[in-house]
């Protein structure tokens, strides 16, 4: 982590003088309206998830002043985004688009380059442009959150008809989460796979539509039902990149399956992980296990109670296993180590067919316990999983962030096959490196279809420098070691983007060079989100920006 910075006001991007920056912002105010351009000249305020700042990362692992905006701008429509982009090219000011800025654990609302002007799209561009109950599709702007769409379905009497797939927290933007390739937990959990067609403002100010929206006339008719259109499929380059600003996106919604039923199994020992993976893989690939489900370690279950670590343990260092298990005694996990949360969909006779197979297979793990949901109190974590897996946004998941005082978190999230050897290797790697750095290990395996993301959240005190240094050291070691074993991250925090991009180095860094060529062609002045996902424009490359 960098040394604490003193605060010049406003924060000015490197290479631009203070006077130039203020003059440029005056020009922008004339174009977009005084009230839509805010200089970041006040002390930073963290707020909380629902009232999050758009100036910085409220869960920062560095000094808070490190990744911080110079100003925040609120365009009201695509034309104003175009104006904003042209302005950035005239003044060579870096800009950083966010939809809502709730990307907590991955950088929040912060820009990668200090002093960038944050383009907060969500504040004014927040319309649901279409909901089509026949096709189960919608068309949204960046400021539409999972909660927002869910509520609108309710207002239109469509909630029983179709579901919104939501991540663990429902307050984020559908576009923001999807372009960062986030996940939810119904069968529609791979959000990027479920989107259909984009409208994008390119870094030089041209506007394009992809998929069927690109038709000269009447593209709206098929925008949401066919993602590819004609010719090269370009959507991919607008996800986890800095090649364009997405102003509209089509999204598919899930039909109400006519019934649903959550289930939970627990397994006694850490060593059960491997054999369990061998059971989960064929069931998940054949969609007997239907949703993006979670296999969570008991430490995370305790943390999800919302009680701080200090409630269970007053010593120093990591929480000892016997204390974890005695703390878990009152929870449905009891003396077990793993909890699997899943959901079965469809009418009762369809569900009972699948649930019987799952029960027979899971029961092959000695000591496996099926939890009876009717025994669980209303505020038990199980019911949060139940809501999320059935299309109801929630914020219960925030509770484990309380594990540390001034709790913040950052994730290690490698991808692996759903296999005994891989799960065991990654688990051991994470556990060993957590022990080395004295950090509590809270793994959860998020099972996609043929792959799983291991999500390891490190919870830290955002006011404790030493703790933050340990957390970052632990992450950097895990990223490197995992990469040496053939496991890459599916997504990462701003601070790790260069490192993670470097792990995708096959062919002497061929993919990175390809991305740089695209960047230079699409964004010759390098104004758009420099450094995002390790991609730097020519103006920045090789000048010490990478970390
Ligand atoms: P934003 O912050 O607006 O966008 C994310 C990034 O995408 C931005 O930084 C920007 O670089 C880029 N971007 C955004 N909009 C645009 C645009 N229009 N054009 C171009 N680029 C753009 N995430 C999950 O996916 N699944 C989970 O289950 C999950 N669980 C979480 C649990 C907890 C407790 C916490 C704290 C976080 C969790 N997250 C999860 C992470 C995060 O909260 C969500 O992914 C959230 O939806 C991202 O914020 P957002 O939607 O507001 O996106």
């Amino acid at each position: 982590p960098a040394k604490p910075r003193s605060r010049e006001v406003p924060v000015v991007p490197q290479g631009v003088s203070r006077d130039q920056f203020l003059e440029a912002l005056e020009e922008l105010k004339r174009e977009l309206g005084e009230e839509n351009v805010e200089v970041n000249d006040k002390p930073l305020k963290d707020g909380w998830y629902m009232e999050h700042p758009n100036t910085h990362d409220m869960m920062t692992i560095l000094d808070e002043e490190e990744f911080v905006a110079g100003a925040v701008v609120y365009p009201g429509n695509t034309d104003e985004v175009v104006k904003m982009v042209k302005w950035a090219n005239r003044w060579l000011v870096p800009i950083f688009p966010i939809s809502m800025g709730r990307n907590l654990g991955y950088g929040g609302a912060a820009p990668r380059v200090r002093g960038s002007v944050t383009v907060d799209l969500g504040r004014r561009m927040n319309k649901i442009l279409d909901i089509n109950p026949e096709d189960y599709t919608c068309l949204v702007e960046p400021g539409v959150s999972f909660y927002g769409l869910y509520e609108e379905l309710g207002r239109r009497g469509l909630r029983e008809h179709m579901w919104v797939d939501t991540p663990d927290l429902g307050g984020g933007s559908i576009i923001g989460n999807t372009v960062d390739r986030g996940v939810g937990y119904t069968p529609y959990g791979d959000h990027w796979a479920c989107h259909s067609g984009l409208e994008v403002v390119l870094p030089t100010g041209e506007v394009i539509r992809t998929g069927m929206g690109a038709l000269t006339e009447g593209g709206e008719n098929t925008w949401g039902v066919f993602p590819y259109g004609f010719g090269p499929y370009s959507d991919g380059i607008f996800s986890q990149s800095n090649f364009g600003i997405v102003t509209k996106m089509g999204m598919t919604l899930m039909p109400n399956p006519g019934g649903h039923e959550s289930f939970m199994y627990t397994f006694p020992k850490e060593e059960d992980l491997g054999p369990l993976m061998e059971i989960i893989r064929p069931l998940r690939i054949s969609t007997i296990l239907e949703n993006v489900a979670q296999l969570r370690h008991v430490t995370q279950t305790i943390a999800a109670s919302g009680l701080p670590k200090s409630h269970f343990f007053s010593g120093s260092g990591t929480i000892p296993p016997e204390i974890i298990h005695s703390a878990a005694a009152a929870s449905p996990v009891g003396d077990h180590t793993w909890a699997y949360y899943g959901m079965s969909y469809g009418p009762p006779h369809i569900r009972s067919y699948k649930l019987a197979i799952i029960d027979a297979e899971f029961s092959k793990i000695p000591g496996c316990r099926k939890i009876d949901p009717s025994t669980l109190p209303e505020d038990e974590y199980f019911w949060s999983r139940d809501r999320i897996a059935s299309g109801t946004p929630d914020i219960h998941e925030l509770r484990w962030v309380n594990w540390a005082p001034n709790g913040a978190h950052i994730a290690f999230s490698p991808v692996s096959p759903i296999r005994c050897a891989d799960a065991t290797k990654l688990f051991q790697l994470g556990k060993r490196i957590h022990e080395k750095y004295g950090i509590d290990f809270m793994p959860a395996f998020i099972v996609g279809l043929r792959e799983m993301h291991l999500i390891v959240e490190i919870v830290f005190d955002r006011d404790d420098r030493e703790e933050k240094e340990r957390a970052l050291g632990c992450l950097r070691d895990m990223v490197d070691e995992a990469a040496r074993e053939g496991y890459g991250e599916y997504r990462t925090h701003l601070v790790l983007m260069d490192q993670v991009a470097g792990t995708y180095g096959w062919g002497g860094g061929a993919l990175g060079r390809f991305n740089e060529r695209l960047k230079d062609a699409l964004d010759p002045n390098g104004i758009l989100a420099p450094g995002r996902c390790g991609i730097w424009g020519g103006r920045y490359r090789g000048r010490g920006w990478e970390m």
Side-chain angles (χ1 to χ4, degrees), residues 151-324:
E151 278 157 17
E152 186 58 25
L153 289 179
R155 272 190 290 275
R156 298 191 194 184
L158 291 171
R159 214 178 266 166
E160 283 302 301
H161 181 68
M162 54 214 244
W163 291 2
V164 181
D165 184 279
T166 158
D168 273 336
L169 301 178
S173 152
I174 298 175
I175 288 185
N177 180 279
T178 303
V179 298
D180 212 23
R181 300 204 292 261
V183 297
Y185 302 94
T186 73
Y188 280 45
D190 180 348
H191 292 163
W192 183 252
C194 290
H195 97 283
S196 184
L198 303 172
E199 179 182 88
V200 186
V201 176
L202 298 178
T204 39
E206 295 96 331
V207 184
I208 61 165
R209 289 181 177 182
T210 66
M212 301 309 285
L215 278 175
T216 317
E217 302 283 345
E220 287 79 3
N221 197 29
T222 40
W223 187 316
V225 294
F226 185 67
Y228 307 122
F230 180 76
Y233 179 59
S234 34
D235 288 37
I237 66 166
F238 300 111
S239 71
Q240 290 195 2
S241 78
N242 47 15
F243 298 152
I245 301 180
V246 176
T247 45
K248 293 184 182 65
M249 185 182 77
M251 194 70 182
T252 51
L253 299 170
M254 178 169 158
N256 182 337
H260 57 93
E261 185 173 344
S262 277
F263 58 89
M264 175 180 178
Y265 284 84
T266 65
F267 305 92
K269 302 192 301 279
E270 271 185 0
E271 306 78 78
D272 293 332
L273 175 67
L276 197 47
M277 285 300 157
E278 293 299 310
I279 291 173
I280 290 172
R281 185 185 58 251
L283 293 180
R284 181 69 189 102
I285 293 178
S286 59
T287 67
I288 294 292
L289 289 170
E290 292 164 271
N291 68 329
V292 178
Q294 298 210 2
L295 183 68
R296 294 189 161 225
H297 191 267
V298 59
T299 314
Q300 211 190 27
T301 306
I302 315 268
S305 70
L307 292 166
K309 176 178 178 176
S310 57
H311 176 86
F312 305 106
F313 178 58
S314 54
S316 60
T318 55
I319 185 164
E322 59 282 7
I323 296 198
I324 294 172

Side-chain angles (χ1 to χ4, degrees), residues 59 96-104 106 108 121 142 146 167-169 172-173 175-177 179-180 182-183 185 244-246 397-398 400-401 409 490-491 532:
M59 293 191 173
F96 191 92
I98 57 169
S99 283
M100 293 180 85
R102 290 205 170 98
N103 208 15
L104 300 169
Y106 298 106
L121 300 151
F146 297 93
D168 273 336
L169 301 178
S173 152
I175 288 185
N177 180 279
V179 298
D180 212 23
V183 297
Y185 302 94
I245 301 180
V246 176
E397 192 72 22
L398 265 180
W400 50 253
V401 184
H409 73 103
Y490 97 101
R491 178 182 181 188
R532 179 159 161 70

Side-chain angles (χ1 to χ4, degrees), residues 42-91:
K42 298 175 196 64
L44 299 178
K45 252 175 73 182
D46 283 350
W48 74 293
Y49 178 74
M50 292 308 280
E51 290 161 15
H52 66 293
N54 59 9
T55 45
H56 65 289
D57 180 7
M58 65 180 247
M59 293 191 173
T60 187
I61 186 114
L62 300 181
D63 183 86
E64 207 162 52
E65 292 285 346
E66 196 63 36
F67 292 153
V68 71
V72 183
V73 175
Y74 304 100
N77 53 45
T78 302
D79 287 345
E80 289 191 0
V81 176
V82 170
K83 283 186 187 162
M84 170 81 217
V85 162
K86 291 189 169 162
W87 168 88
N89 277 288
R90 274 198 305 279
W91 292 91

Side-chain angles (χ1 to χ4, degrees), residues 416-490:
S416 85
I418 313 163
R419 291 193 206 126
C420 168
D422 298 289
T424 309
K425 207 188 283 178
L426 274 174
F427 179 79
Q428 294 303 345
L429 180 155
K431 189 174 173 183
R432 177 169 43 79
I433 299 176
H434 273 64
E435 272 163 16
K436 173 178 162 197
Y437 284 91
I439 294 170
D440 294 319
F441 185 42
M442 301 191 196
F445 289 89
I446 313 293
V447 185
L449 189 61
R450 283 178 177 74
E451 59 73 43
M452 58 189 177
H453 305 350
L454 164 61
I455 305 284
V456 181
E457 296 287 2
I458 297 185
V459 184
F460 58 89
D461 177 347
R462 75 187 86 169
D463 290 343
D464 187 329
R465 256 181 91 63
E466 186 273 334
E467 203 171 303
K468 292 205 284 192
E469 277 175 10
R470 273 190 292 123
L472 190 52
C474 180
L475 277 162
R476 289 215 183 273
D477 282 8
M478 287 193 294
V479 168
D480 279 346
E481 273 208 40
R484 280 197 291 273
E485 299 283 346
Y487 305 108
E489 309 290 299
Y490 97 101

